[in-house]
Amino acid sequence: MTGNPLDDARSQLREAIDLLGLDEGMYELLAAPRREITVSIPLRRDDGSVEVITGHRVQHNYSRGPGKGGLRYAPDVNLDEVRALAMWMTWKCALLDVPYGGAKGGVAIDPRHYSVAELERVTRRYTSEIAPLIGPAHDIPAPDVGTDEQTMAWMMDTYSVNFGHTVLGVVTGKPISLGGSLGRASATSRGVVIVALQALAHVGLDPRAATAAVQGFGKVGRGAARFLADAGVTVRAVSDQYGGVQHADGLDVAALEAHVDATGSVVGFAGAEPIENPDLLELDVDLLVPAAVEGVINGSNAERVRARLVVEGANGPTTAEADAVLAERGVVVVPDILANAGGVIVSYFEWVQANQAYWWTEDEVEGRLADRMTAAWQHVLAHSRSLDLTLRAAATSLAVKRVADAHLQRGLYP
Ligand code: NAD
Protein backbone atom coordinates (compact mmCIF):
# COMPACT_ATOMS: atom_id res chain seq x y z
CA MET A 1 0.00 0.00 0.00
CA THR A 2 1.26 3.48 -0.76
CA GLY A 3 0.16 6.78 0.74
CA ASN A 4 -2.75 7.31 3.06
CA PRO A 5 -6.14 6.07 1.75
CA LEU A 6 -7.90 8.67 3.89
CA ASP A 7 -6.28 11.42 1.78
CA ASP A 8 -7.68 9.77 -1.36
CA ALA A 9 -11.13 9.37 0.19
CA ARG A 10 -11.17 13.00 1.30
CA SER A 11 -10.00 14.25 -2.08
CA GLN A 12 -12.86 12.34 -3.75
CA LEU A 13 -15.27 13.87 -1.25
CA ARG A 14 -13.85 17.35 -1.91
CA GLU A 15 -14.41 16.93 -5.65
CA ALA A 16 -18.02 15.80 -5.08
CA ILE A 17 -18.75 18.66 -2.66
CA ASP A 18 -17.43 21.16 -5.22
CA LEU A 19 -19.42 19.57 -8.06
CA LEU A 20 -22.59 19.68 -5.98
CA GLY A 21 -21.98 23.25 -4.83
CA LEU A 22 -22.23 22.22 -1.17
CA ASP A 23 -20.57 24.33 1.51
CA GLU A 24 -17.46 23.81 3.63
CA GLY A 25 -19.58 22.85 6.64
CA MET A 26 -20.98 19.87 4.73
CA TYR A 27 -17.47 18.87 3.64
CA GLU A 28 -16.31 18.90 7.26
CA LEU A 29 -19.38 17.00 8.42
CA LEU A 30 -18.69 14.24 5.89
CA ALA A 31 -14.88 14.26 6.01
CA ALA A 32 -14.78 13.06 9.63
CA PRO A 33 -16.38 9.90 11.07
CA ARG A 34 -19.34 10.39 13.37
CA ARG A 35 -18.00 7.85 15.84
CA GLU A 36 -14.90 5.71 16.28
CA ILE A 37 -13.55 3.37 18.90
CA THR A 38 -10.10 1.84 19.38
CA VAL A 39 -9.84 -1.16 21.64
CA SER A 40 -7.07 -3.26 23.14
CA ILE A 41 -7.63 -6.96 22.74
CA PRO A 42 -5.66 -9.06 25.23
CA LEU A 43 -5.08 -12.47 23.67
CA ARG A 44 -3.98 -15.55 25.57
CA ARG A 45 -1.81 -17.39 23.07
CA ASP A 46 -1.87 -21.17 22.87
CA ASP A 47 1.51 -21.27 24.67
CA GLY A 48 0.05 -19.38 27.65
CA SER A 49 1.68 -16.01 26.94
CA VAL A 50 -0.42 -12.85 26.62
CA GLU A 51 -0.28 -10.48 23.67
CA VAL A 52 -2.27 -7.27 23.28
CA ILE A 53 -3.68 -6.53 19.83
CA THR A 54 -5.26 -3.27 18.65
CA GLY A 55 -8.68 -3.13 17.02
CA HIS A 56 -10.82 -0.33 15.59
CA ARG A 57 -14.43 0.23 14.60
CA VAL A 58 -15.30 3.41 12.75
CA GLN A 59 -18.83 4.57 11.99
CA HIS A 60 -18.44 7.17 9.30
CA ASN A 61 -22.07 8.07 8.87
CA TYR A 62 -25.51 6.81 9.92
CA SER A 63 -27.81 9.51 8.62
CA ARG A 64 -29.53 7.06 6.22
CA GLY A 65 -29.58 4.00 8.50
CA PRO A 66 -27.31 1.83 10.63
CA GLY A 67 -23.59 1.67 9.93
CA LYS A 68 -22.53 -1.16 7.63
CA GLY A 69 -19.10 -2.41 6.73
CA GLY A 70 -16.59 -5.20 6.85
CA LEU A 71 -14.09 -6.31 9.47
CA ARG A 72 -10.48 -6.60 8.28
CA TYR A 73 -7.71 -8.68 9.88
CA ALA A 74 -4.36 -7.49 8.51
CA PRO A 75 -1.04 -6.63 10.18
CA ASP A 76 -0.90 -3.06 8.84
CA VAL A 77 -4.48 -2.06 9.69
CA ASN A 78 -4.53 1.49 11.05
CA LEU A 79 -7.16 4.04 12.01
CA ASP A 80 -6.85 6.21 8.89
CA GLU A 81 -7.27 3.18 6.64
CA VAL A 82 -10.37 2.11 8.56
CA ARG A 83 -11.73 5.68 8.38
CA ALA A 84 -11.27 5.72 4.59
CA LEU A 85 -12.90 2.32 4.19
CA ALA A 86 -15.82 3.45 6.39
CA MET A 87 -16.31 6.58 4.27
CA TRP A 88 -16.36 4.52 1.06
CA MET A 89 -19.01 2.29 2.65
CA THR A 90 -21.21 5.34 3.24
CA TRP A 91 -21.00 6.27 -0.45
CA LYS A 92 -21.50 2.69 -1.60
CA CYS A 93 -24.65 2.20 0.46
CA ALA A 94 -26.03 5.56 -0.65
CA LEU A 95 -25.22 4.93 -4.32
CA LEU A 96 -26.91 1.53 -4.29
CA ASP A 97 -29.73 2.94 -2.18
CA VAL A 98 -29.45 0.37 0.57
CA PRO A 99 -30.70 1.88 3.84
CA TYR A 100 -27.38 2.01 5.66
CA GLY A 101 -24.63 4.40 6.53
CA GLY A 102 -20.98 3.40 6.37
CA ALA A 103 -18.70 1.73 8.90
CA LYS A 104 -15.59 -0.45 8.97
CA GLY A 105 -13.57 -2.44 11.46
CA GLY A 106 -9.97 -3.55 11.59
CA VAL A 107 -7.78 -5.65 13.84
CA ALA A 108 -4.02 -5.35 13.45
CA ILE A 109 -3.21 -9.03 13.20
CA ASP A 110 -1.84 -11.34 10.53
CA PRO A 111 -4.31 -14.23 10.75
CA ARG A 112 -1.85 -16.62 9.08
CA HIS A 113 0.32 -16.53 12.20
CA TYR A 114 -2.39 -17.51 14.69
CA SER A 115 -4.20 -20.77 15.37
CA VAL A 116 -7.95 -21.08 14.80
CA ALA A 117 -8.47 -21.15 18.57
CA GLU A 118 -6.46 -17.90 18.94
CA LEU A 119 -8.43 -16.22 16.15
CA GLU A 120 -11.65 -17.25 17.85
CA ARG A 121 -10.49 -15.66 21.13
CA VAL A 122 -9.41 -12.45 19.36
CA THR A 123 -12.74 -12.24 17.52
CA ARG A 124 -14.83 -12.85 20.62
CA ARG A 125 -12.91 -10.32 22.72
CA TYR A 126 -13.00 -7.70 19.95
CA THR A 127 -16.76 -8.27 19.58
CA SER A 128 -17.30 -7.88 23.33
CA GLU A 129 -15.29 -4.63 23.34
CA ILE A 130 -17.29 -3.08 20.49
CA ALA A 131 -20.64 -4.67 21.45
CA PRO A 132 -22.14 -1.43 22.85
CA LEU A 133 -21.76 0.14 19.40
CA ILE A 134 -22.92 -2.63 17.08
CA GLY A 135 -26.29 -4.32 16.54
CA PRO A 136 -28.90 -4.77 13.81
CA ALA A 137 -30.12 -1.18 14.26
CA HIS A 138 -26.69 0.35 14.98
CA ASP A 139 -23.87 -1.10 12.94
CA ILE A 140 -23.65 -4.44 11.14
CA PRO A 141 -20.17 -5.91 10.44
CA ALA A 142 -19.38 -8.36 7.60
CA PRO A 143 -16.29 -10.20 6.33
CA ASP A 144 -13.44 -8.34 4.62
CA VAL A 145 -9.75 -9.07 4.05
CA GLY A 146 -8.56 -11.83 6.40
CA THR A 147 -11.99 -12.66 7.87
CA ASP A 148 -14.70 -15.06 6.73
CA GLU A 149 -18.04 -16.61 7.58
CA GLN A 150 -16.53 -18.39 10.59
CA THR A 151 -15.43 -15.00 11.98
CA MET A 152 -19.01 -13.76 11.53
CA ALA A 153 -20.41 -16.86 13.27
CA TRP A 154 -18.18 -16.15 16.32
CA MET A 155 -19.22 -12.49 16.31
CA MET A 156 -22.91 -13.36 16.10
CA ASP A 157 -22.57 -15.93 18.89
CA THR A 158 -20.59 -13.60 21.19
CA TYR A 159 -23.02 -10.74 20.70
CA SER A 160 -26.03 -13.04 21.18
CA VAL A 161 -24.66 -14.65 24.34
CA ASN A 162 -24.03 -11.21 25.83
CA PHE A 163 -27.53 -10.04 24.97
CA GLY A 164 -29.26 -13.22 26.13
CA HIS A 165 -30.91 -14.18 22.85
CA THR A 166 -29.91 -15.03 19.29
CA VAL A 167 -29.47 -11.90 17.19
CA LEU A 168 -29.03 -13.02 13.59
CA GLY A 169 -29.09 -9.49 12.17
CA VAL A 170 -25.97 -8.25 14.01
CA VAL A 171 -23.57 -9.38 11.26
CA THR A 172 -23.86 -10.47 7.63
CA GLY A 173 -21.77 -12.91 5.63
CA LYS A 174 -22.70 -15.64 8.13
CA PRO A 175 -22.73 -19.35 7.29
CA ILE A 176 -26.00 -20.46 5.64
CA SER A 177 -26.70 -22.71 8.64
CA LEU A 178 -26.70 -19.65 10.93
CA GLY A 179 -28.96 -17.33 8.99
CA GLY A 180 -26.60 -16.49 6.15
CA SER A 181 -28.05 -15.74 2.74
CA LEU A 182 -27.78 -17.94 -0.28
CA GLY A 183 -25.65 -16.11 -2.82
CA ARG A 184 -23.80 -13.91 -0.28
CA ALA A 185 -20.42 -15.64 -0.58
CA SER A 186 -20.23 -15.01 -4.33
CA ALA A 187 -22.14 -11.71 -4.38
CA THR A 188 -19.21 -9.28 -4.55
CA SER A 189 -17.53 -11.23 -7.35
CA ARG A 190 -20.81 -11.58 -9.25
CA GLY A 191 -21.42 -7.87 -8.95
CA VAL A 192 -17.88 -7.07 -10.14
CA VAL A 193 -18.43 -9.21 -13.24
CA ILE A 194 -21.95 -7.88 -13.94
CA VAL A 195 -20.48 -4.38 -14.01
CA ALA A 196 -17.33 -5.47 -15.88
CA LEU A 197 -19.44 -6.97 -18.67
CA GLN A 198 -21.49 -3.77 -18.89
CA ALA A 199 -18.29 -1.74 -18.99
CA LEU A 200 -16.76 -3.96 -21.71
CA ALA A 201 -19.87 -3.37 -23.83
CA HIS A 202 -19.58 0.36 -23.07
CA VAL A 203 -16.07 0.49 -24.55
CA GLY A 204 -17.12 -1.72 -27.47
CA LEU A 205 -15.45 -4.99 -26.47
CA ASP A 206 -16.96 -8.45 -26.87
CA PRO A 207 -16.25 -10.50 -23.70
CA ARG A 208 -15.29 -13.51 -25.82
CA ALA A 209 -12.57 -11.45 -27.46
CA ALA A 210 -11.46 -9.70 -24.27
CA THR A 211 -8.53 -10.46 -21.95
CA ALA A 212 -8.30 -9.80 -18.23
CA ALA A 213 -5.91 -9.82 -15.27
CA VAL A 214 -7.11 -10.15 -11.67
CA GLN A 215 -5.02 -9.13 -8.66
CA GLY A 216 -6.02 -10.94 -5.46
CA PHE A 217 -7.43 -14.46 -5.37
CA GLY A 218 -9.50 -14.27 -2.18
CA LYS A 219 -13.22 -13.91 -1.62
CA VAL A 220 -13.55 -11.27 -4.35
CA GLY A 221 -10.79 -11.99 -6.90
CA ARG A 222 -11.28 -15.73 -7.09
CA GLY A 223 -14.98 -15.54 -7.93
CA ALA A 224 -14.34 -12.63 -10.29
CA ALA A 225 -11.81 -14.72 -12.24
CA ARG A 226 -14.24 -17.64 -12.37
CA PHE A 227 -17.24 -15.59 -13.49
CA LEU A 228 -15.16 -13.72 -16.08
CA ALA A 229 -13.97 -17.04 -17.51
CA ASP A 230 -17.58 -18.30 -17.48
CA ALA A 231 -18.54 -15.25 -19.55
CA GLY A 232 -15.88 -16.14 -22.13
CA VAL A 233 -13.23 -13.62 -21.08
CA THR A 234 -9.65 -14.90 -21.37
CA VAL A 235 -8.17 -14.55 -17.87
CA ARG A 236 -4.49 -14.14 -18.62
CA ALA A 237 -3.13 -13.59 -15.12
CA VAL A 238 -4.07 -13.74 -11.46
CA SER A 239 -2.10 -13.17 -8.28
CA ASP A 240 -2.23 -13.26 -4.51
CA GLN A 241 0.07 -11.91 -1.81
CA TYR A 242 2.64 -14.62 -2.56
CA GLY A 243 2.95 -13.94 -6.30
CA GLY A 244 1.10 -14.52 -9.55
CA VAL A 245 0.68 -16.80 -12.55
CA GLN A 246 -0.02 -16.03 -16.18
CA HIS A 247 -0.78 -17.79 -19.43
CA ALA A 248 -1.05 -15.94 -22.73
CA ASP A 249 -3.89 -18.20 -23.94
CA GLY A 250 -5.79 -17.90 -20.66
CA LEU A 251 -5.63 -19.74 -17.36
CA ASP A 252 -7.82 -22.76 -16.62
CA VAL A 253 -9.56 -21.09 -13.67
CA ALA A 254 -11.26 -24.26 -12.39
CA ALA A 255 -7.91 -26.11 -12.30
CA LEU A 256 -6.31 -23.07 -10.66
CA GLU A 257 -8.98 -23.06 -7.94
CA ALA A 258 -8.22 -26.72 -7.23
CA HIS A 259 -4.51 -25.84 -6.99
CA VAL A 260 -5.28 -23.00 -4.53
CA ASP A 261 -7.47 -25.29 -2.42
CA ALA A 262 -4.61 -27.78 -2.25
CA THR A 263 -1.70 -25.37 -1.67
CA GLY A 264 -3.12 -22.09 -0.34
CA SER A 265 -1.71 -19.98 -3.18
CA VAL A 266 -1.86 -19.50 -6.95
CA VAL A 267 1.95 -19.75 -7.01
CA GLY A 268 3.30 -22.92 -8.58
CA PHE A 269 0.21 -23.63 -10.69
CA ALA A 270 1.32 -26.12 -13.35
CA GLY A 271 1.00 -24.98 -16.94
CA ALA A 272 1.43 -21.29 -16.18
CA GLU A 273 4.35 -18.91 -16.00
CA PRO A 274 5.09 -16.88 -12.86
CA ILE A 275 4.38 -13.15 -12.82
CA GLU A 276 5.05 -10.62 -10.07
CA ASN A 277 2.23 -8.44 -8.74
CA PRO A 278 3.62 -5.15 -10.12
CA ASP A 279 3.94 -6.70 -13.60
CA LEU A 280 0.39 -8.06 -13.50
CA LEU A 281 -0.91 -4.52 -13.06
CA GLU A 282 0.93 -3.45 -16.21
CA LEU A 283 0.02 -6.47 -18.35
CA ASP A 284 -1.31 -5.89 -21.86
CA VAL A 285 -4.95 -6.87 -21.20
CA ASP A 286 -8.29 -5.20 -21.87
CA LEU A 287 -9.60 -5.45 -18.33
CA LEU A 288 -7.74 -5.12 -15.04
CA VAL A 289 -9.51 -6.12 -11.83
CA PRO A 290 -7.54 -5.11 -8.72
CA ALA A 291 -9.18 -7.21 -5.98
CA ALA A 292 -6.64 -7.16 -3.14
CA VAL A 293 -5.68 -4.01 -1.24
CA GLU A 294 -5.60 -0.20 -1.46
CA GLY A 295 -3.21 1.99 -3.39
CA VAL A 296 -1.78 -0.58 -5.81
CA ILE A 297 -2.38 1.67 -8.83
CA ASN A 298 -0.59 4.84 -7.87
CA GLY A 299 1.58 7.67 -9.14
CA SER A 300 4.50 5.32 -9.69
CA ASN A 301 2.79 2.92 -12.13
CA ALA A 302 -0.39 4.58 -13.50
CA GLU A 303 1.40 5.66 -16.68
CA ARG A 304 2.25 2.04 -17.42
CA VAL A 305 -1.21 0.49 -16.87
CA ARG A 306 -2.10 -0.83 -20.32
CA ALA A 307 -5.64 -2.05 -19.63
CA ARG A 308 -8.45 -0.19 -21.33
CA LEU A 309 -10.71 -0.76 -18.35
CA VAL A 310 -10.06 -0.96 -14.60
CA VAL A 311 -12.90 -2.45 -12.56
CA GLU A 312 -12.19 -2.01 -8.86
CA GLY A 313 -12.95 -5.21 -6.98
CA ALA A 314 -10.91 -3.94 -4.02
CA ASN A 315 -11.72 -0.82 -2.04
CA GLY A 316 -9.43 2.08 -2.88
CA PRO A 317 -7.00 0.29 -5.22
CA THR A 318 -6.44 3.47 -7.28
CA THR A 319 -4.96 6.54 -5.60
CA ALA A 320 -6.29 10.01 -6.44
CA GLU A 321 -3.01 10.76 -8.23
CA ALA A 322 -3.31 7.63 -10.39
CA ASP A 323 -6.97 8.37 -11.07
CA ALA A 324 -6.03 11.65 -12.72
CA VAL A 325 -3.35 9.94 -14.83
CA LEU A 326 -5.71 7.17 -15.95
CA ALA A 327 -8.46 9.67 -16.82
CA GLU A 328 -5.99 11.70 -18.85
CA ARG A 329 -4.93 8.56 -20.71
CA GLY A 330 -8.53 7.55 -21.44
CA VAL A 331 -8.53 4.45 -19.23
CA VAL A 332 -12.09 3.86 -17.97
CA VAL A 333 -12.13 3.20 -14.22
CA VAL A 334 -15.28 1.69 -12.73
CA PRO A 335 -15.01 2.82 -9.10
CA ASP A 336 -15.08 0.54 -6.07
CA ILE A 337 -18.26 2.05 -4.63
CA LEU A 338 -20.07 0.78 -7.71
CA ALA A 339 -18.02 -2.20 -8.88
CA ASN A 340 -17.76 -4.11 -5.59
CA ALA A 341 -21.17 -3.17 -4.18
CA GLY A 342 -22.60 -6.66 -4.79
CA GLY A 343 -21.41 -7.72 -1.35
CA VAL A 344 -23.26 -5.03 0.53
CA ILE A 345 -26.37 -5.51 -1.59
CA VAL A 346 -26.62 -9.17 -0.62
CA SER A 347 -25.57 -8.32 2.95
CA TYR A 348 -28.61 -6.06 2.96
CA PHE A 349 -30.72 -8.96 1.64
CA GLU A 350 -29.26 -11.18 4.38
CA TRP A 351 -30.15 -8.64 7.09
CA VAL A 352 -33.69 -8.28 5.71
CA GLN A 353 -34.09 -12.07 5.66
CA ALA A 354 -32.61 -12.45 9.16
CA ASN A 355 -34.79 -9.73 10.65
CA GLN A 356 -37.89 -11.32 9.09
CA ALA A 357 -36.70 -14.91 9.71
CA TYR A 358 -37.79 -15.69 6.16
CA TRP A 359 -35.30 -16.92 3.58
CA TRP A 360 -35.23 -16.36 -0.15
CA THR A 361 -34.12 -18.72 -2.89
CA GLU A 362 -30.73 -18.33 -4.56
CA ASP A 363 -32.47 -17.28 -7.79
CA GLU A 364 -34.34 -14.52 -5.96
CA VAL A 365 -31.11 -13.25 -4.39
CA GLU A 366 -29.12 -13.34 -7.62
CA GLY A 367 -31.91 -11.83 -9.73
CA ARG A 368 -32.32 -8.91 -7.32
CA LEU A 369 -28.55 -8.46 -7.13
CA ALA A 370 -28.25 -8.30 -10.92
CA ASP A 371 -31.14 -5.83 -11.17
CA ARG A 372 -29.59 -3.47 -8.62
CA MET A 373 -26.07 -3.66 -10.04
CA THR A 374 -27.28 -3.05 -13.59
CA ALA A 375 -29.51 -0.14 -12.55
CA ALA A 376 -26.67 1.46 -10.59
CA TRP A 377 -24.26 1.07 -13.53
CA GLN A 378 -26.79 2.72 -15.89
CA HIS A 379 -27.46 5.52 -13.41
CA VAL A 380 -23.77 6.29 -12.92
CA LEU A 381 -23.00 6.05 -16.65
CA ALA A 382 -25.87 8.39 -17.56
CA HIS A 383 -24.79 10.89 -14.90
CA SER A 384 -21.16 10.79 -16.04
CA ARG A 385 -22.25 11.39 -19.65
CA SER A 386 -24.62 14.22 -18.82
CA LEU A 387 -21.99 16.17 -16.86
CA ASP A 388 -18.88 14.86 -18.62
CA LEU A 389 -17.48 13.34 -15.42
CA THR A 390 -15.36 10.29 -14.75
CA LEU A 391 -17.39 7.33 -13.49
CA ARG A 392 -15.85 7.87 -10.03
CA ALA A 393 -16.78 11.53 -9.86
CA ALA A 394 -20.29 10.68 -11.10
CA ALA A 395 -20.75 7.85 -8.59
CA THR A 396 -19.29 9.76 -5.64
CA SER A 397 -21.31 12.89 -6.31
CA LEU A 398 -24.57 10.91 -6.67
CA ALA A 399 -23.82 9.20 -3.36
CA VAL A 400 -22.69 12.32 -1.52
CA LYS A 401 -25.84 14.12 -2.64
CA ARG A 402 -28.03 11.42 -1.12
CA VAL A 403 -26.16 11.59 2.19
CA ALA A 404 -26.08 15.40 2.22
CA ASP A 405 -29.83 15.49 1.48
CA ALA A 406 -30.47 13.19 4.41
CA HIS A 407 -28.45 15.50 6.68
CA LEU A 408 -30.21 18.61 5.43
CA GLN A 409 -33.67 17.05 5.75
CA ARG A 410 -33.00 15.70 9.24
CA GLY A 411 -31.49 18.97 10.37
CA LEU A 412 -28.81 19.49 12.97
CA TYR A 413 -29.51 18.39 16.54
CA PRO A 414 -29.66 20.43 18.72
P1 NAD B 1 -9.50 -11.89 1.12
O1 NAD B 1 -8.72 -11.81 2.37
O2 NAD B 1 -10.51 -12.95 0.94
O3 NAD B 1 -8.51 -11.95 -0.15
C1 NAD B 1 -7.51 -11.00 -0.37
C2 NAD B 1 -6.63 -11.52 -1.52
O4 NAD B 1 -5.67 -10.52 -1.84
C3 NAD B 1 -5.84 -12.77 -1.17
O5 NAD B 1 -5.71 -13.58 -2.32
C4 NAD B 1 -4.47 -12.21 -0.76
O6 NAD B 1 -3.43 -13.15 -0.92
C5 NAD B 1 -4.36 -11.08 -1.75
N1 NAD B 1 -3.44 -10.02 -1.34
C6 NAD B 1 -3.30 -9.45 -0.14
N2 NAD B 1 -2.35 -8.51 -0.16
C7 NAD B 1 -1.90 -8.47 -1.43
C8 NAD B 1 -0.92 -7.71 -2.10
N3 NAD B 1 -0.22 -6.79 -1.45
N4 NAD B 1 -0.72 -7.94 -3.41
C9 NAD B 1 -1.44 -8.87 -4.07
N5 NAD B 1 -2.38 -9.61 -3.50
C10 NAD B 1 -2.60 -9.42 -2.20
O7 NAD B 1 -10.20 -10.45 0.96
P2 NAD B 1 -11.44 -10.07 0.05
O8 NAD B 1 -12.67 -10.15 0.87
O9 NAD B 1 -11.36 -10.79 -1.24
O10 NAD B 1 -11.17 -8.51 -0.17
C11 NAD B 1 -10.34 -8.03 -1.23
C12 NAD B 1 -10.70 -6.57 -1.48
O11 NAD B 1 -12.09 -6.47 -1.84
C13 NAD B 1 -10.54 -5.63 -0.28
O12 NAD B 1 -10.18 -4.34 -0.74
C14 NAD B 1 -11.94 -5.58 0.31
O13 NAD B 1 -12.15 -4.42 1.10
C15 NAD B 1 -12.74 -5.56 -0.96
N6 NAD B 1 -14.14 -5.95 -0.82
C16 NAD B 1 -14.49 -7.15 -0.28
C17 NAD B 1 -15.83 -7.49 -0.19
C18 NAD B 1 -16.28 -8.83 0.32
O14 NAD B 1 -17.49 -9.12 0.24
N7 NAD B 1 -15.41 -9.70 0.79
C19 NAD B 1 -16.82 -6.60 -0.64
C20 NAD B 1 -16.43 -5.38 -1.18
C21 NAD B 1 -15.08 -5.09 -1.28
Side-chain angles (χ1 to χ4, degrees):
M1 190 200 315
T2 60
N4 182 344
L6 187 59
D7 293 339
D8 292 327
R10 286 187 172 149
S11 108
Q12 292 157 7
L13 170 63
R14 168 66 68 194
E15 186 182 5
I17 291 279
D18 292 348
L19 272 168
L20 293 165
L22 293 167
D23 62 24
E24 191 59 21
M26 187 59 81
Y27 171 80
E28 283 178 16
L29 192 64
L30 298 177
R34 302 262 55 78
R35 206 183 258 159
E36 53 190 35
I37 181 172
T38 295
V39 298
S40 295
I41 307 160
L43 164 68
R44 190 182 312 285
R45 304 272 333 232
D46 291 342
D47 66 5
S49 63
V50 171
E51 185 180 324
V52 178
I53 294 165
T54 302
H56 311 283
R57 186 77 191 168
V58 172
Q59 296 170 351
H60 170 258
N61 196 277
Y62 31 81
S63 58
R64 300 179 71 257
K68 183 85 190 88
L71 169 62
R72 176 171 294 197
Y73 284 3
D76 53 357
V77 156
N78 61 72
L79 198 46
D80 273 357
E81 179 187 29
V82 180
R83 287 169 172 149
L85 291 162
M87 190 189 296
W88 286 321
M89 284 305 298
T90 301
W91 311 147
K92 196 179 300 181
C93 294
L95 180 67
L96 274 294
D97 206 14
V98 296
Y100 295 135
K104 202 80 181 190
V107 174
I109 184 174
D110 187 338
R112 294 171 301 170
H113 299 155
Y114 293 81
S115 70
V116 172
E118 289 170 335
L119 290 174
E120 176 172 356
R121 291 197 286 276
V122 168
T123 302
R124 290 186 181 280
R125 185 60 186 257
Y126 170 74
T127 306
S128 297
E129 297 291 347
I130 66 165
L133 293 186
I134 61 171
H138 299 85
D139 178 2
I140 307 135
D144 191 75
V145 175
T147 58
D148 58 16
E149 60 178 33
Q150 178 60 70
T151 322
M152 295 303 114
W154 291 327
M155 289 191 85
M156 190 279 279
D157 181 68
T158 305
Y159 185 88
S160 297
V161 168
N162 277 289
F163 282 76
H165 60 98
T166 297
V167 186
L168 294 179
V170 64
V171 289
T172 59
K174 298 182 294 297
I176 303 291
S177 57
L178 282 178
S181 175
L182 293 168
R184 171 62 184 89
S186 58
T188 309
S189 313
R190 271 191 200 284
V192 166
V193 174
I194 289 168
V195 165
L197 295 177
Q198 298 277 347
L200 282 170
H202 167 63
V203 299
L205 285 170
D206 177 352
R208 280 154 304 180
T211 55
V214 180
Q215 183 187 47
F217 208 71
K219 294 183 289 298
V220 180
R222 175 174 172 153
R226 185 192 323 138
F227 298 136
L228 283 171
D230 289 350
V233 174
T234 301
V235 179
R236 283 193 53 195
V238 302
S239 66
D240 57 28
Q241 69 211 92
Y242 308 104
V245 289
Q246 63 169 330
H247 196 297
D249 298 332
L251 297 161
D252 177 345
V253 177
L256 178 61
E257 289 194 72
H259 172 82
V260 170
D261 288 340
T263 68
S265 171
V266 300
V267 172
F269 176 52
E273 300 294 318
I275 183 171
E276 296 297 321
N277 266 291
D279 298 328
L280 177 142
L281 298 170
E282 299 172 16
L283 206 61
D284 187 10
V285 287
D286 299 309
L287 166 66
L288 176 62
V289 180
V293 290
E294 295 97 78
V296 293
I297 305 175
N298 50 53
S300 72
N301 63 2
E303 284 289 353
R304 293 192 303 277
V305 169
R306 280 187 281 174
R308 177 93 184 275
L309 257 180
V310 176
V311 176
E312 294 184 333
N315 287 307
T318 312
T319 66
E321 187 185 0
D323 232 6
V325 173
L326 295 179
E328 177 68 30
R329 295 182 48 227
V331 178
V332 175
V333 179
V334 184
D336 44 10
I337 61 169
L338 170 61
N340 69 33
V344 80
I345 291 172
V346 178
S347 273
Y348 165 49
F349 295 164
E350 179 177 333
W351 176 79
V352 168
Q353 293 169 82
N355 290 340
Q356 298 184 339
Y358 182 80
W359 275 267
W360 308 351
T361 66
E362 194 155 2
D363 282 351
E364 283 173 311
V365 170
E366 286 178 1
R368 290 173 189 180
L369 166 66
D371 289 349
R372 279 183 177 253
M373 289 301 297
T374 307
W377 158 262
Q378 287 166 350
H379 190 195
V380 170
L381 181 64
H383 192 58
S384 82
R385 280 179 167 152
S386 71
L387 294 183
D388 193 21
L389 300 173
T390 63
L391 293 173
R392 190 185 317 278
T396 309
S397 55
L398 285 170
V400 170
K401 177 157 184 3
R402 284 194 176 143
V403 178
D405 283 351
H407 273 284
L408 294 170
Q409 284 159 350
R410 289 179 64 149
L412 267 190
Y413 172 82

